[in-house]
Amino acid sequence: MSGVSVIGTGAVSPAGWGVAPLWDCVLANQPVPATPLPRPGWESPLMIRRAPQWKPRPAFLSHPRLRRASPISSYAVAAALEALGPEADPASQPPERLGIILCVMSGCVNYSRRFYDEVLEDPATASPLVFPETVFNAPASHLAALLGATGINYTLVGDPGVFPQGLALGADWLIEGRVEGCLVIGAEEGDWLTADAFRLFHRQLILGEGAGALYLKPQPEHGTPTRLSAVTDPHLFTRDQNRRQAANAMRAQLPAPKPGELLVDGRVGVERMDAAERIAWKDWRGDCVHPKTVLGEGLMAGSAWQCVIAVEALKRGRCSVATVSVVGCNEQAIGARFEGNIVAADVSPL
């Protein structure tokens, strides 16, 4: 996958708004405290790692398309604008052919729950103003309206392994010349519906919320700091291939580690969920970080955080190559590899 650069990154996470608090939190390896989330009909709340309230309020929220938007739209837009950097400035428009790929798993669950609550209570009075915010592609639509982007705009729905697929799709668009730049965003919002659903399968699991974004462009001839060098095939969980076998197949497609490389895996600190990925990478001897153990299981946002951390590690000279491993909730195992311009001898320890 030569010829694709990562120009910028953006993030919203339980650590805060921006890439800097995400990076500091993961390197400190101190879990963000979980907060109670009331569940109707229960005396005891669920626990979740929420994104903090913004301080100050972002200016983009005054845009007409975002005044009633769900939190997932706010997270996605904030991460995308940070990734765009100077190109997000109204005085400096993003590329005319800007591609947008939004990746989600639960999507706009807050408004979906609210709308169906109203339908069940009284279908005749359910607000039609709520319904547009329930669809999966609402955040991508809001972002395009804010930027005035008229290029290709896709929303991919699936488990967390879809985010690396989004990177591969964006890279294909760039290589084929279909876009001049491509934002790939993974975002999720917290709600008692998803927290309760995951509790049915893993009571120790704590969900997180937020977004992560990578801004891809064609690789310039000189001076590119970070490259997306590879995305593996998606190795599906099927009747003939279980999670462990899929994780091993993903691992086998990635090169053997060398000095100065970093692994950013998707382990969450629950052995039942982590076993397949832990076994697949048991031969890894280099540095390794586990963002989800401190930020929570962010689902699609979680795999986006992994990629943001990998790119930031390269930009900050903490590794020469960064590998991202995603063993999804229920669909696939997939990996991505990023490379920088420094050599292993110049790497600063994590």
Side-chain angles (χ1 to χ4, degrees):
M1 195 173 289
S2 61
V4 177
S5 295
V6 183
I7 301 300
T9 57
V12 176
S13 73
W17 290 65
V19 172
L22 171 70
W23 172 264
D24 292 341
C25 180
V26 171
L27 258 65
N29 199 30
Q30 293 295 321
V32 175
T35 58
L37 178 66
R39 184 211 187 278
W42 286 16
E43 293 184 4
S44 299
L46 299 159
M47 302 302 291
I48 189 173
R49 291 188 170 106
R50 308 219 74 146
Q53 283 293 320
W54 47 73
K55 293 181 181 179
R57 178 183 169 86
F60 66 76
L61 288 177
S62 63
H63 190 278
R65 289 287 294 272
L66 290 161
R67 287 175 186 163
R68 285 193 300 268
S70 61
I72 190 175
S73 293
S74 301
Y75 303 154
V77 169
L81 294 180
E82 185 181 15
L84 280 172
E87 294 185 28
D89 190 324
S92 174
Q93 292 296 322
E96 188 172 325
R97 293 189 300 131
L98 174 69
I100 295 174
I101 300 174
L102 174 75
C103 306
V104 295
M105 181 172 174
S106 294
C108 307
V109 66
N110 286 349
Y111 270 82
S112 296
R113 173 186 47 76
R114 176 179 163 186
F115 180 74
Y116 285 113
D117 277 349
E118 292 185 4
V119 169
L120 290 171
E121 185 173 337
D122 185 354
T125 61
S127 173
L129 296 177
V130 176
F131 179 75
E133 294 298 327
T134 68
V135 299
F136 279 109
N137 66 336
S141 174
H142 294 327
L143 176 60
L146 177 69
L147 295 174
T150 58
I152 310 172
N153 189 320
Y154 277 15
T155 294
L156 307 182
V157 181
D159 82 351
V162 165
F163 187 78
Q165 288 194 22
L167 294 176
L169 178 61
D172 284 345
W173 289 354
L174 288 167
I175 293 168
E176 294 171 1
R178 300 183 68 188
V179 296
E180 297 174 5
C182 188
L183 279 167
V184 186
I185 309 145
E188 300 286 353
E189 62 186 12
D191 189 86
W192 71 262
L193 271 177
T194 47
D196 189 17
F198 274 87
R199 181 183 177 277
L200 295 175
F201 296 95
H202 306 286
R203 294 202 172 196
Q204 296 173 274
L205 185 66
I206 298 178
L207 293 184
E209 65 175 1
L214 269 60
Y215 184 31
L216 308 180
K217 271 193 169 184
Q219 184 175 322
E221 292 184 8
H222 306 287
T224 178
T226 307
R227 300 178 299 280
L228 173 63
S229 61
V231 176
T232 71
D233 295 325
H235 297 276
L236 304 181
F237 309 151
T238 67
R239 182 180 61 181
D240 300 321
Q241 180 172 257
N242 60 30
R243 284 173 60 87
R244 186 172 300 183
Q245 291 168 326
N248 288 337
M250 174 267 291
R251 172 71 183 91
Q253 279 195 306
L254 292 164
K258 297 178 181 178
E261 296 194 14
L262 171 69
L263 173 63
V264 187
D265 69 21
R267 285 183 275 179
V268 295
V270 178
E271 176 56 24
R272 180 182 168 191
M273 297 183 66
D274 294 344
E277 193 165 18
R278 176 181 55 77
I279 292 170
W281 294 98
K282 63 184 178 182
D283 64 336
W284 186 266
R285 297 294 179 264
D287 288 331
C288 181
V289 292
H290 326 290
K292 292 182 182 181
T293 62
V294 298
L295 300 169
E297 171 53 274
L299 305 177
M300 199 68 71
S303 53
W305 297 334
Q306 290 177 248
C307 292
V308 169
I309 289 294
V311 172
E312 282 300 303
L314 288 163
K315 289 170 60 177
R316 295 168 185 253
R318 298 302 186 94
C319 62
S320 57
V321 176
T323 296
V324 172
S325 167
V326 180
V327 180
C329 303
N330 57 3
E331 286 184 356
Q332 63 195 302
I334 188 170
R337 184 175 170 88
F338 301 89
E339 297 181 2
N341 283 339
I342 62 173
V343 298
D346 297 326
V347 170
S348 302
L350 284 172

